[in-house]
Amino acid sequence: MIVTDKLEWADRARYLTTQAKDDAVEYIHNEIGYNYRLTNIQAAMGCAQLENIADRLAAKRATAEAYHSGLAGLDGITLPREATWASSAWWLYTILVNKAAFGQDSRELLRSLAAAGVQSRPLWQPLNRSRAHEASRTDGCPVAYTLHRDALSLPSSVGLSRGDQERVIDAIRRIGTRT
């Protein structure tokens, strides 16, 4: 769902999401477009979710603040930063793990957290590394490779309680002091 008060953005989005047809009869496309329109049921659900967006964003921000304060200063853990010109929705809270400083790499920390009953996830594999795209041309993506290797996303759902957040923080701190 795209929500904007900028007419030119709305027009551009409408054009791209209706297959970027420049001639609807002849199906002429001067740009690559998509068929990403919502069904009426999906749109209704999106509108219903927007009714409590402020509460959902506040919950996400509270989780990010808890992680920021609880994990600050932990050797080998780099916390995400919010751009000075933006307000993050904190959809994911992803840390970077430096094995030399923390004592475990991101995948070892993932397994240690799982053993402590905490689910975490690695950041997505770069597409050019998947079998489905192995024939695709690439000049390499060293930043993406580093992020995939070192990044770990922590639990950050809207329903995550303060107690759950503390359990994640405590688990990471315990693991970091053991290694």
Side-chain angles (χ1 to χ4, degrees):
M1 175 179 283
I2 299 171
V3 179
T4 181
D5 60 356
K6 296 189 182 322
L7 182 59
E8 63 274 11
W9 291 7
D11 289 343
R12 180 76 175 148
R14 191 173 300 105
Y15 172 72
L16 292 175
T17 61
T18 54
Q19 303 174 348
K21 282 186 274 188
D22 292 289
D23 184 321
V25 174
E26 296 290 337
Y27 289 93
I28 304 298
H29 303 273
N30 293 324
E31 293 184 62
I32 295 173
Y34 309 91
N35 190 17
Y36 289 166
R37 293 177 306 276
L38 297 175
T39 66
N40 58 347
I41 293 172
Q42 291 168 322
M45 289 175 62
C47 288
Q49 289 176 330
L50 284 174
E51 290 176 6
N52 64 358
I53 190 74
D55 292 340
R56 296 176 78 79
L57 290 173
K60 294 291 231 173
R61 183 160 290 282
T63 298
E65 289 171 6
Y67 286 155
H68 275 9
S69 62
L71 298 173
L74 190 56
D75 287 340
I77 300 294
T78 301
L79 305 178
R81 294 178 301 212
E82 187 172 51
T84 57
W85 48 264
S87 180
S88 178
W90 296 109
W91 176 63
L92 283 179
Y93 190 92
T94 303
I95 60 173
L96 297 177
V97 183
N98 178 302
K99 181 176 181 160
F102 185 72
Q104 293 189 353
D105 66 22
S106 67
R107 298 317 189 270
E108 291 168 325
L109 177 55
L110 178 143
R111 289 187 291 277
S112 294
L113 286 171
V118 174
Q119 183 183 35
S120 59
R121 296 180 183 266
L123 210 54
W124 299 276
Q125 170 184 295
L127 282 178
N128 68 314
R129 291 236 168 130
S130 70
R131 288 188 65 201
H133 298 281
E134 65 189 1
S136 299
R137 182 180 173 271
T138 179
D139 292 329
C141 304
V143 173
Y145 301 158
T146 299
L147 289 173
H148 180 244
R149 181 192 67 214
D150 296 343
L152 191 65
S153 296
L154 303 180
S156 59
S157 70
V158 172
L160 200 66
S161 71
R162 180 64 181 168
D164 292 335
Q165 296 162 19
E166 289 299 329
R167 199 163 60 81
V168 173
I169 293 164
D170 292 344
I172 294 171
R173 288 199 160 277
R174 274 193 315 276
I175 293 164
T177 58
R178 280 197 320 240
T179 54

